[in-house]
Amino acid sequence: MKTSEKVKRVKKLQWGEDFPYPVVLSEYSAKRGHKILFYNRAFSNNFVQYKGNLDKTTLEELLGDYFKGNGLIVIYIKNSPYCVINFSISKKRKLHLFIEEKAWLRFPQWYHTERLASLGKLAGEISHELNNPLGGILLYANMLKEELPKSSKWADLVDRIIKLTTRCKIISKALLDFGKPERAKKEWINLNEPILNIYDIIKDYQIFKKIKFTFDLDPALPKYYANQTQMEQVFLNLFTNAAESMKGEGEIKVETKAKDDKIIIRISDTGPGIPEDILPYIFDPFFTTKKTGKGTGLGLSICHSIIRRHSGEIRVETNPSGGATFEIILPLPTREALREDGF
Ligand code: ADP
């Protein structure tokens, strides 16, 4: 196979607002004790994607034409960013390479930092504004509940108002926590629980009414040290996206299992899947393909940030039937780690 077939230029990006990666990468490398030997704005024009078998490829083969200039390469394996290669050629034609294996997993966080900081502030303000009216609704609904006889046909509806308003308060609090990871309290939980809790709350929502949920949940799933509310938020976002992509009709399959010291959670839908050209961006804050007013572009970036805070990964792939499958991988702590943490 010719290199040109394997290495494909994905997008010409503008330096600056559009594409802060090289700046971030230089900071990243510097922080890791790497010296940036050669640094050039032209980097941003050499953003390429490699799809192929890394084990069977030499770097020269991999870089091909790009070997002649300076650049930044992101290697994708099965559509998941695997490593970043930052390279430059000095005037003496000496090649300087910085290869950061799996760096991308930390990388988006760096890149998100600035945007997240302002987003966290905005989210905090919105959450603050929402909390008071929500508190009021909850108070009045509780007063109403006390006034109603238990046998009243309205009692069930008032209970629903209370349940849903409580959910809104939880979401609004999650928004407040968004930029402040240290706030979330974690405990040992069975991750099947947040999945079923959220399902119980949303199953009667209009958008989910014609969706068939199938659960294949491992009854012996080991407990995970997690924040229950945040995990509920992740499943709520993924279920909502799946339902919206299927326009309210189709199937959502949820699977949990423990494998090789990891908990794996897969959520698949029978929607149209995610076009390859937008795959690298879907976890970015504010990235949405939904109509103005419909999507915020925050759902997946919140999921990503929560899962990262739980030391895990979230990725997406297209399933054979064409829909999207989101996979969450959470590493189970080793006995040593547990002992060190005093468990
Ligand atoms: P929003 O839902 O507000 O658009 P998200 O961050 O949750 O924001 O999602 C970003 C984009 O990712 C969506 O606009 C959509 O294009 C795509 N997406 C997310 N989940 C799915 C899915 N299950 N199927 C198809 N596309 C999806």
Side-chain angles (χ1 to χ4, degrees):
M1 202 194 291
K2 284 212 317 261
T3 310
S4 54
E5 288 169 40
K6 290 189 278 178
V7 179
K8 147 174 144 222
R9 189 183 291 265
V10 280
K11 197 174 172 191
K12 254 202 163 180
L13 293 140
Q14 288 304 309
W15 172 259
E17 291 132 295
D18 258 10
F19 192 51
Y21 297 114
V23 184
V24 175
L25 193 73
S26 70
E27 279 174 22
Y28 177 80
S29 301
K31 278 233 164 106
R32 299 266 310 223
H34 293 172
K35 205 168 156 220
I36 299 291
L37 297 171
F38 201 84
Y39 181 62
N40 176 327
R41 289 185 170 215
F43 274 14
S44 55
N45 290 330
N46 288 331
F47 188 65
V48 294
Q49 237 191 70
Y50 172 74
K51 287 185 179 168
N53 187 347
L54 260 194
D55 297 339
K56 300 205 177 110
T57 317
T58 64
L59 265 177
E60 264 172 69
E61 222 188 334
L62 175 70
L63 299 180
D65 286 349
Y66 295 93
F67 208 71
K68 295 184 194 121
N70 302 315
L72 180 71
I73 289 193
V74 181
I75 311 283
Y76 282 72
I77 293 181
K78 286 194 187 151
N79 285 333
S80 290
Y82 174 75
C83 77
V84 179
I85 299 182
N86 185 357
F87 67 98
S88 63
I89 313 280
S90 70
K91 279 186 190 137
K92 289 184 181 160
R93 306 290 307 151
K94 225 172 139 189
L95 175 74
H96 304 292
L97 275 177
F98 307 94
I99 303 177
E100 300 286 351
E101 220 173 290
K102 299 247 166 84
W104 190 273
L105 299 175
R106 293 178 293 269
F107 194 46
Q109 281 201 332
W110 282 70
Y111 145 64
H112 284 166
T113 308
E114 242 173 69
R115 277 202 277 180
L116 278 185
S118 51
L119 180 67
K121 193 164 171 284
L122 180 70
E125 280 164 18
I126 295 173
S127 158
H128 218 77
E129 290 297 318
L130 278 180
N131 248 349
N132 283 346
L134 286 176
I137 297 174
L138 210 52
L139 177 73
Y140 297 131
N142 273 309
M143 283 164 68
L144 203 58
K145 189 181 169 179
E146 274 171 30
E147 291 297 316
L148 284 176
K150 284 232 161 51
S151 57
S152 161
K153 63 172 182 172
W154 306 116
D156 183 46
L157 288 183
V158 175
D159 268 342
R160 286 195 152 252
I161 295 177
I162 293 174
K163 207 170 169 187
L164 294 177
T165 317
T166 308
R167 178 83 217 133
C168 290
K169 279 200 75 128
I170 291 172
I171 293 171
S172 137
K173 174 144 186 322
L175 211 57
L176 197 63
D177 287 340
F178 185 38
K180 300 167 185 150
E182 69 284 3
R183 275 165 165 257
K185 195 171 154 280
K186 291 182 184 170
E187 47 201 342
W188 290 98
I189 57 167
N190 179 338
L191 288 171
N192 292 335
E193 273 174 28
I195 293 176
L196 293 173
N197 283 351
I198 272 303
Y199 168 68
D200 210 39
I201 293 175
I202 59 166
K203 63 179 189 294
D204 297 326
Y205 286 10
Q206 195 58 35
I207 185 88
F208 291 102
K209 273 193 178 151
K210 289 190 192 153
I211 303 269
K212 182 173 172 259
F213 273 84
T214 319
F215 294 101
D216 181 4
L217 307 182
D218 181 351
L221 200 66
K223 290 199 168 178
Y224 198 75
Y225 197 57
N227 179 277
Q228 171 112 0
T229 310
Q230 291 195 340
M231 293 313 288
E232 285 177 359
Q233 174 86 55
V234 169
F235 300 123
L236 175 71
N237 293 358
L238 295 180
F239 291 164
T240 308
N241 276 345
E244 285 178 346
S245 80
M246 298 186 284
K247 302 204 165 43
E249 254 176 88
E251 201 177 323
I252 295 180
K253 188 171 174 213
V254 190
E255 199 188 332
T256 61
K257 64 179 176 199
K259 197 183 160 207
D260 303 335
D261 296 330
K262 291 183 185 94
I263 290 183
I264 298 172
I265 304 171
R266 290 168 68 84
I267 295 167
S268 318
D269 61 56
T270 52
I274 300 170
E276 205 159 304
D277 57 330
I278 67 162
L279 269 179
Y281 312 107
I282 59 167
F283 291 102
D284 280 4
F286 306 117
F287 178 85
T288 181
T289 54
K290 293 172 189 164
K291 281 194 203 125
T292 320
K294 282 269 179 203
T296 56
L298 288 179
L300 286 181
S301 83
I302 289 180
C303 291
H304 182 270
S305 134
I306 291 175
I307 295 300
R308 287 294 307 148
R309 276 181 232 156
H310 286 80
S311 320
E313 282 175 47
I314 176 166
R315 54 193 187 203
V316 65
E317 59 192 50
T318 301
N319 51 41
S321 58
T325 296
F326 282 84
E327 185 174 61
I328 297 171
I329 301 169
L330 297 158
L332 287 164
T334 57
R335 275 168 195 275
E336 289 72 33
L338 285 176
R339 225 175 287 133
E340 271 169 33
D341 285 349
F343 286 108

